Amino acid sequence: MGEHTTESVEALLRSQGLTGPEFDPARIAEALSGWEEAGRELDRLLTEHEGEARSLNPTVFSAEWETGR
Amino acid sequence: MTSSTISSISRRLRTGATTSMEVTQAALDAIGQVNERLCAFVLVDEEGAMQAAEQSDRALEAGRPTGPLTGVPIAIKDIIDMEGLPTGCGSPAYPDTPRDRDAVIVTRLRKAGAVMVGKTTTHELACGVYSPPACNPWDTARLPGGSSGGSGAAVAAGIVPMALGSDTGGSIRIPASVCGIAGLKPTFGRVPRTGVETLAWSLDHLGPLAASVRDCAISLQVMAGPHPSDPSTGSYPVPDFSEKLDRGIESLRLGVLAGPPFSPMQEDVEAAFQNGVSHLKSLGARVTPLEIEELNYTMPAEFALVATEGAAYHRRLLKEWPNLIDPGIRELLTIGTILPTGHYLKGKAARQIIRNALRMAFNTHRLDALITPTLPATAARSDQDNFEYGATVEDVTSSYVRTTAPFNLSGQPALTVPCGFDRRGLPIGLQIAGRPFDEATVLQIGSCFEETTDWSEAKPPIHTGL
């Protein structure tokens, strides 16, 4: 099940006001293990590109890219 | 009649060969004929459409058309506000209360003279690729794609020449591809989104699904440009998007992306794509095969952003009416609510790395555009969960999104055009992605491809044939 237990997920859901039969902590905990793997994939990419992400502004295109042919 | 393009309808309207009231009535009749089977429309505004058509006819008779879309019937995805009509967002949780103003994009289309006949089916909360209960006009047992599935079906069935869509991970290009029409996701910041329901604010784009690439260009011309209500639109100048449509593609430099996430793909898609690339070469384009390793991280980056931004936007819906949300979407939003902040930030950082890799590819190889298969597979059955690629099994949503989402993350313009059919007769799309704000070149390449092949001429079994 990864880092999350049913109990820890239940606490997280409760802290966000997500209670009731629509929120099944066991199921969410199981699903979260896939997200943990996705997180590790992102870690790998970031490790390979250490430092690079800091230099880019997500909301602005560089003139070089727009016109640099 | 309405199966024609915006250009041909406009020409007939301006020469008096037909009237907007006739064309609009034909579109409304077409909805009446096929909507029971296609479920492409959730709302038909007959009265509003005929009033707008009458006004258009008066303007045309006076020789003063209000804009390039004067008198042309179009449709609007049901996540986009239209004054006096509800916005349903494909969700039972959304009230039937009429919205009190038009979205900015709707205002622009109205000013350009468009006649809006109704609102099209969306996948719930614009978060999915099936768009039930809408069907694909090529095979009603199959999905029309999503989330702008109703728009794809409406255009492919010849009801309207253009319908608006939105695209967070492929939701314009997926339905356009599986329905065999053109679809353009413009550059992030090209089209204001005010008055449109959000899924993920850093990834959401608006654009046209249309009968032709030229229609995409005409439509974008009307939609594009900054607006103070949407800061993402900045102050980028709007060029003439049709200017280069007839120039051909001699000497343009195209990078052809292979490898993951574009593979694996269905055999027929691979064949059609390779034929498409050969065709582009035969038209004089200079082609460079490329692999961009960072694109392998498209899915974790895309979903880190969609889950968390979607959860933030829909927090009240999730908390107060969870029983009214589809279980799969509810799970995504729930996870987005409780994921650690670090996961979102890693997604944002990964996105920048992916953007940088794409930028480097363009600049290193002096590219005008990238070419990819739009999707690795054709239209799935509406009850189908997975695709099989040899020994690899992949869910339908991931299959469709992995080839389109790279350009949501990068924000680049991306167009799909039909490039063939599989052995079942289902359409296949070719994707063309350009430099930021260079939609004109993307449209130039797409138009040249479309004009020199006959894939866009084919009509599905459900076609109003007007």
Side-chain angles (χ1 to χ4, degrees):
Chain A
M1 190 175 285
E3 296 163 21
H4 292 279
T5 62
T6 302
E7 291 72 26
S8 69
V9 169
E10 195 167 11
L12 276 171
L13 292 173
R14 206 170 33 245
S15 73
Q16 297 296 322
L18 302 180
T19 55
E22 293 83 9
F23 303 102
D24 177 353
R27 186 182 161 83
I28 299 289
E30 192 180 330
L32 273 170
S33 62
W35 287 79
E36 286 159 12
E37 176 50 35
R40 285 190 287 275
E41 278 187 57
L42 294 174
D43 284 336
R44 279 195 288 278
L45 178 67
L46 267 56
T47 303
E48 285 168 20
H49 293 263
E50 204 72 63
E52 191 180 314
R54 286 195 298 271
S55 65
L56 293 166
N57 182 335
T59 62
V60 175
F61 293 109
S62 70
E64 179 201 17
W65 191 10
E66 288 172 36
T67 60
R69 59 174 65 112
Chain B
M1 191 184 293
T2 51
S3 67
S4 311
T5 60
I6 290 175
S7 323
S8 65
I9 293 172
S10 285
R11 201 163 37 247
R12 292 206 303 273
L13 288 169
R14 284 164 202 242
T15 57
T18 188
T19 65
S20 179
M21 288 186 75
E22 286 173 349
V23 174
T24 302
Q25 189 58 58
L28 293 167
D29 291 346
I31 295 171
Q33 267 178 41
V34 300
N35 202 47
E36 200 171 314
R37 280 177 290 165
L38 282 186
C39 301
F41 285 81
V42 292
L43 192 155
V44 181
D45 184 18
E46 188 163 351
E47 192 183 336
M50 291 310 287
Q51 276 175 9
E54 197 177 352
Q55 281 173 13
S56 293
D57 282 336
R58 280 201 297 271
L60 287 160
E61 275 166 29
R64 289 192 299 273
T66 50
L69 298 177
T70 300
V72 177
I74 65 165
I76 307 293
K77 182 178 182 178
D78 193 28
I79 68 163
I80 301 170
D81 287 351
M82 291 175 67
E83 186 183 345
L85 299 178
T87 299
C89 215
S91 165
Y94 276 60
D96 286 340
T97 321
R99 299 291 170 122
D100 58 8
R101 67 181 66 177
D102 284 336
V104 168
I105 192 171
V106 170
T107 302
R108 288 181 177 179
L109 288 162
R110 281 197 208 278
K111 277 187 184 162
V115 172
M116 293 159 202
V117 296
K119 305 194 80 176
T120 55
T121 306
T122 172
H123 196 106
E124 183 175 336
L125 305 181
C127 186
V129 301
Y130 287 79
S131 308
C135 307
N136 193 314
W138 291 90
D139 178 348
T140 53
R142 291 179 185 272
L143 52 75
S147 60
S148 313
S151 290
V155 173
I159 298 169
V160 286
M162 190 277 282
L164 277 187
S166 66
D167 191 319
T168 304
S171 287
I172 288 172
R173 291 159 288 157
I174 293 166
S177 181
V178 299
C179 289
I181 57 173
L184 173 67
K185 180 196 79 65
T187 311
F188 187 82
R190 179 61 97 188
V191 177
R193 301 167 298 172
T194 311
V196 181
E197 288 295 318
T198 296
L199 175 56
W201 55 78
S202 75
L203 296 164
D204 294 343
H205 300 65
L206 297 174
L209 294 91
S212 72
V213 174
R214 188 174 296 275
D215 284 358
C216 285
I218 294 168
S219 304
L220 181 62
Q221 201 69 52
V222 171
M223 302 172 191
H227 194 276
S229 65
D230 183 351
S232 73
T233 54
S235 56
Y236 302 102
V238 178
D240 179 351
F241 295 115
S242 299
E243 191 183 7
K244 301 201 290 183
L245 293 181
D246 300 317
R247 280 193 197 168
I249 58 169
E250 180 82 40
S251 300
L252 289 190
R253 292 171 186 266
L254 307 179
V256 175
L257 282 174
F262 302 97
S263 62
M265 64 182 102
Q266 290 173 339
E267 200 180 311
D268 294 352
V269 172
E270 169 90 42
F273 177 64
Q274 293 306 336
N275 283 340
V277 171
S278 299
H279 184 66
L280 290 166
K281 273 190 206 168
S282 76
L283 295 169
R286 287 185 273 180
V287 169
T288 307
L290 288 175
E291 279 199 42
I292 301 177
E293 202 181 312
E294 289 83 353
L295 297 183
N296 273 319
Y297 297 89
T298 294
M299 294 300 273
E302 168 82 11
F303 277 89
L305 304 181
V306 170
T308 48
E309 293 181 13
Y313 182 75
H314 289 297
R315 65 197 179 284
R316 193 170 160 222
L317 175 64
L318 184 65
K319 208 168 172 175
E320 297 183 15
W321 301 285
N323 58 316
L324 297 182
I325 309 174
D326 166 83
I329 298 172
R330 186 172 64 225
E331 183 174 297
L332 180 76
L333 299 180
T334 303
I335 286 170
T337 305
I338 61 174
L339 274 176
T341 311
H343 195 98
Y344 179 59
L345 294 173
K346 282 189 280 190
K348 281 172 70 84
R351 175 189 200 167
Q352 299 321 309
I353 292 166
I354 288 168
R355 283 166 57 108
N356 196 33
L358 283 160
R359 181 177 64 84
M360 291 287 284
F362 267 82
N363 290 344
T364 303
H365 300 282
R366 299 166 56 81
L367 298 177
D368 293 288
L370 284 169
I371 308 296
T372 81
T374 306
L375 304 175
T378 53
R381 292 187 319 276
S382 296
D383 62 355
Q384 186 175 335
D385 294 326
N386 297 309
F387 285 115
E388 289 178 17
Y389 306 98
T392 305
V393 178
E394 185 181 37
D395 69 274
V396 169
T397 303
S398 299
S399 256
Y400 285 165
V401 172
R402 67 175 150 90
T403 52
T404 48
F407 307 114
N408 295 82
L409 292 169
S410 71
Q412 294 167 260
L415 171 76
T416 181
V417 288
C419 74
F421 292 90
D422 72 3
R423 62 197 70 180
R424 296 188 188 91
L426 299 169
I428 297 168
L430 179 98
Q431 181 169 232
I432 304 159
R435 289 175 182 267
F437 297 100
D438 192 14
E439 289 89 351
T441 299
V442 167
L443 292 161
Q444 174 188 0
I445 297 163
S447 180
C448 182
F449 187 86
E450 185 181 74
E451 292 290 322
T452 54
T453 59
D454 55 8
W455 304 118
S456 300
E457 299 298 317
K459 299 289 177 265
I462 295 192
H463 193 275
T464 52
L466 297 167

